[in-house]
Amino acid sequence: MIHMRERKLNPIIVANYFLTKEPMTQKKLQKLTYYAYVQYIIENNDELLVDNFLFQEKPEAWLHGPVFPTLYQEYKMYNWKLIPMYKNIITLPECIKELLDKVYEEYKNYSADELEYKTHCEKPWQDARKNVDVLDSSNEIITPQSIYEYYS
């Protein structure tokens, strides 16, 4: 187990790693980054203490599913268009690359809309939005504990 709080990993670095694989929309990029965050939590925590995260920023339960605000800000200029492939080399620990590759392989064939629908059917996003109207915006946090409990 590696404690990522000692590293400088963030949602943008993780997303850029996914962008080395293919161009994609912000929505798909957000969902892949979310599922990487989820995968890290379930592999590196236990039910008594959920305190080890891929990076410190927590996902928020936005209208179109989980979103990391810093990642949104980084790529918002693309709106719904494809974000081009990331051409720079990204240096990550091998165990993190393996985790990200596993997530990518699992979800690469899903469209952005299918990933949005999938997250809308899952309890952590639903719980974070329980007091929010279906069409309203929200910045409620999807808690690491709810992620661990649902996906484990």
Side-chain angles (χ1 to χ4, degrees), residues 53-64:
F53 316 116
L54 187 57
F55 41 75
Q56 289 304 304
E57 186 175 345
K58 309 282 186 291
E60 296 180 1
W62 287 22
L63 181 65
H64 294 286

Side-chain angles (χ1 to χ4, degrees), residues 30-44:
Q30 286 282 358
K31 304 316 167 256
L32 288 176
T33 303
Y34 172 72
Y35 283 120
Y37 181 85
V38 165
Q39 189 67 36
Y40 188 88
I41 285 176
I42 62 177
E43 288 183 11
N44 294 281

Side-chain angles (χ1 to χ4, degrees), residues 5-6 10 17-18 22 25 28 32 36 40 44 46 51 55-56 61 68 75 84 92-94 101 108 110 128 134 140:
R5 75 170 62 113
E6 297 149 19
N10 62 52
Y17 183 80
F18 289 130
E22 66 174 284
T25 63
K28 183 168 184 175
L32 288 176
Y40 188 88
N44 294 281
D46 63 56
D51 71 342
F55 41 75
Q56 289 304 304
F68 295 95
Y75 286 116
L92 295 170
E94 197 56 39
D101 289 341
K108 69 181 180 183
Y110 285 81
V134 68
E140 291 297 317

Side-chain angles (χ1 to χ4, degrees), residues 8 11 13 15 20-21 23 30 43 54 57 61 71 77 79-80 82-85 88 91 102 117 123-124 136 147 151:
K8 297 285 187 224
I13 294 169
T20 66
K21 311 268 186 207
Q30 286 282 358
E43 288 183 11
L54 187 57
E57 186 175 345
L71 179 55
M77 75 283 267
N79 295 314
W80 299 101
L82 287 179
I83 300 166
M85 287 183 71
N88 298 334
T91 305
K102 180 165 67 172
Y117 179 77
K123 196 166 176 2
D136 286 346
I147 287 169
Y151 294 101

Side-chain angles (χ1 to χ4, degrees), residues 64-125:
H64 294 286
V67 168
F68 295 95
T70 60
L71 179 55
Y72 174 78
Q73 290 302 320
E74 181 76 6
Y75 286 116
K76 71 181 181 181
M77 75 283 267
Y78 289 95
N79 295 314
W80 299 101
K81 297 181 186 107
L82 287 179
I83 300 166
M85 287 183 71
Y86 189 79
K87 301 292 186 192
N88 298 334
I89 294 172
I90 298 176
T91 305
L92 295 170
E94 197 56 39
C95 62
I96 299 301
K97 280 186 180 179
E98 289 172 9
L99 180 138
L100 298 181
D101 289 341
K102 180 165 67 172
V103 168
Y104 180 74
E105 285 303 313
E106 185 168 342
Y107 297 109
K108 69 181 180 183
N109 294 323
Y110 285 81
S111 71
D113 289 338
E114 288 169 331
L115 289 171
E116 175 184 352
Y117 179 77
K118 180 173 173 31
T119 61
H120 284 196
C121 294
E122 296 169 344
K123 196 166 176 2
W125 182 84

